Structures are given as structure tokens and as C-alpha cells.
Amino acid sequence: MKLKRVILKISGEVMSGNGKTGFDKDAIRFIADEIHDAVAETKCELAIVIGGGNLVRGSRLIEGVGSSTIIADQAGMLATIINGIILQDFLEKNHQQEVRTMSAVEVRAFTEPYIRRRAEGHMEKGRIVILAGGSANPRFTTDTAAVLRAIELEADLMIKGTKVDGIYSKDPNAHNDSEFIQEISQHDFVMQKLGILDRTAVTLAGENHLPIRVLNILKKGNLSKALKGEDVGSLIVPD
């Protein structure tokens, strides 16, 4: 299937490489290389929604610090902006790639405000767009923000880039008996309570006929294959 426009969701933890927090220079460089090479090879229009879990997790702030839910979620949104401008810097410095970081939370000194038509204009000109700030609303994950942006921008596919090869019946890092799932319907994903994606996001995608592909973003060539429409990782198909 020829893909014209794709939304890539990158987990914040991917920015930390093998760690769970902070930044790993080699991991960020690798991701930037993969993004640049995939876009150069396929000419696909790409927007990236980035998480902030390597810096701030709302649940940790609530449990460990005693933050209120709204403030914890707002802190997480700010973390995605930090990740966004760092990824932009790697793409620009290492690849002379034209990139625009747009944020749903206005931080005009560092990013453009997210405006749908402006984002579309950037992509039509061949620029990569990094979408930070989540949806600007508390209680919604960046997975859900990525699906919302994919619907708004009329993307053909949403890709969730993680540290594992796709969807498993259980967390493969914690369970030796986990089974790989190559393809699953939106309904079955939600009913089986699989955890690699927010179920609200999957439900919203299914209602809007948006397929979601889950893959290991740290495996060389995976992103290029996905943008070519090849069968890599796992696929969640609308019912």
C-alpha cells in the first residue's frame, strides 16, 4: 500500500536507549538517522508525536511527590516539548533536514503553535513536523494525541515506535511465555486489555478507520519498511 502521510508516535523512553530515564546520545542519533533515511527513501510526509516518559511520568509525580493529577499531566506535556526540540536539533545538525516543532501547548520562544493547516503546509513542502505538547489536555496520553493528530491530518497510518518488536500477549520483558501477535482487530485489542498502546487511543482509531502499526523503532530499517507499506511489527486493523 502506497502511504502518502504517516503519523509516527515515539515513546519518550526510546530517547533513553537501554535506560528508562534521561537521554542516550547514540539512541537519539540512531532514531534521527532512521527518520531521515526513511523519509528520503519513500518521500512520505511524516509528522512525529513524541512522548515524555524518559523525563516525567505523571504517575510517578502523583505517587512519589504528591502532585495533583492535572499538574502531573501538565509537567508531562512540557517534557514532550523538551524531547521534541532535542530530536529536531539532531535531525537538523546531522542531516540538514528541514524540521518544524509544533506544540499544542504554546511555547512560542521554542516552538510554533500547532495549527492543523500550517502543519499540513509544512509536510506538503517536505518538512518533518514534530508534534509536542500532547493534546494540551490532561488525562489524555500521547498515544491518544497521536491518533487525534492522525485523524486531523488525514494520515494513512499511525506507527507506534517502541523498544519491542510489536504487540505481545504479555510484556515480553517480564514473561517468557508471551506470544507475538502479528495482526489483531481494534475490538480484540481492547477486549484482551493489551498494554503497549492506550486503549482509548485504539478505540478512537478504530472508530475512524485508522490502522496502527507497532514496531521496534530501534531496529535498523524498520521505519523505512513501514513507510513503504511492508509488513513489519504488528498491525491493529479497524473492525
Side-chain angles (χ1 to χ4, degrees):
M1 179 177 67
K2 175 65 176 176
L3 300 174
K4 179 179 185 292
R5 181 175 294 170
V6 171
I7 301 297
L8 170 64
K9 162 64 197 307
I10 299 177
S11 302
E13 288 87 346
V14 170
M15 302 282 281
S16 65
N18 292 326
K20 292 185 178 181
T21 60
F23 297 103
D24 181 277
K25 179 175 67 175
D26 293 335
I28 301 171
R29 181 182 289 119
F30 179 87
I31 293 165
D33 291 348
E34 289 293 289
I35 291 168
H36 171 267
D37 293 349
V39 170
E41 185 176 356
T42 65
K43 308 303 181 186
C44 185
E45 296 176 4
L46 185 68
I48 302 164
V49 173
I50 194 160
N54 58 315
L55 298 176
V56 174
R57 274 209 172 275
S59 58
R60 293 187 198 133
L61 285 179
I62 294 167
E63 295 168 8
V65 181
S67 298
S68 66
T69 300
I70 303 302
I71 295 300
D73 286 349
Q74 289 175 337
M77 293 176 208
L78 294 175
T80 71
I81 297 169
I82 295 171
N83 280 341
I85 62 175
I86 288 173
L87 180 59
Q88 175 180 345
D89 191 40
F90 270 74
L91 284 164
E92 290 176 338
K93 285 196 310 182
N94 296 339
H95 298 289
Q96 293 73 53
Q97 182 80 50
E98 280 199 85
V99 184
R100 298 291 186 272
T101 299
M102 309 183 82
S103 175
V105 178
E106 288 198 20
V107 188
R108 288 179 179 268
F110 306 134
T111 69
E112 296 181 21
Y114 170 72
I115 300 170
R116 179 178 63 85
R117 290 189 180 276
R118 185 179 291 178
E120 288 180 321
H122 286 320
M123 286 189 287
E124 288 167 358
K125 292 175 183 177
R127 297 166 181 155
I128 292 172
V129 176
I130 298 174
L131 300 170
S135 66
N137 297 301
R139 310 307 294 151
F140 288 94
T141 66
T142 47
D143 283 346
T144 301
V147 171
L148 285 168
R149 297 297 178 242
I151 294 166
E152 287 179 336
L153 297 170
E154 300 181 337
D156 302 308
L157 176 71
M158 175 186 146
I159 298 172
K160 171 78 178 273
T162 72
K163 293 182 179 182
V164 297
D165 290 332
I167 300 170
Y168 287 82
S169 59
K170 303 175 185 177
D171 182 353
N173 295 317
H175 301 276
N176 293 329
D177 61 343
S178 61
E179 297 180 2
F180 180 74
I181 300 171
Q182 187 169 10
E183 185 172 310
I184 189 169
S185 71
Q186 172 265 324
H187 176 268
D188 287 345
F189 183 97
V190 173
M191 293 304 294
Q192 293 178 32
K193 298 182 178 179
L194 300 173
I196 198 165
L197 269 157
D198 177 69
R199 289 191 289 275
T200 300
V202 175
T203 299
L204 182 61
E207 291 172 350
N208 289 272
H209 311 291
L210 174 70
I212 301 176
R213 187 169 291 283
V214 182
L215 53 78
N216 186 344
I217 194 70
L218 297 177
K219 185 172 287 187
K220 188 169 180 60
N222 269 1
L223 183 58
S224 288
K225 291 176 183 176
L227 294 189
K228 291 175 187 174
E230 296 181 16
D231 190 11
V232 57
S234 302
L235 184 66
I236 304 173
V237 294
D239 294 319

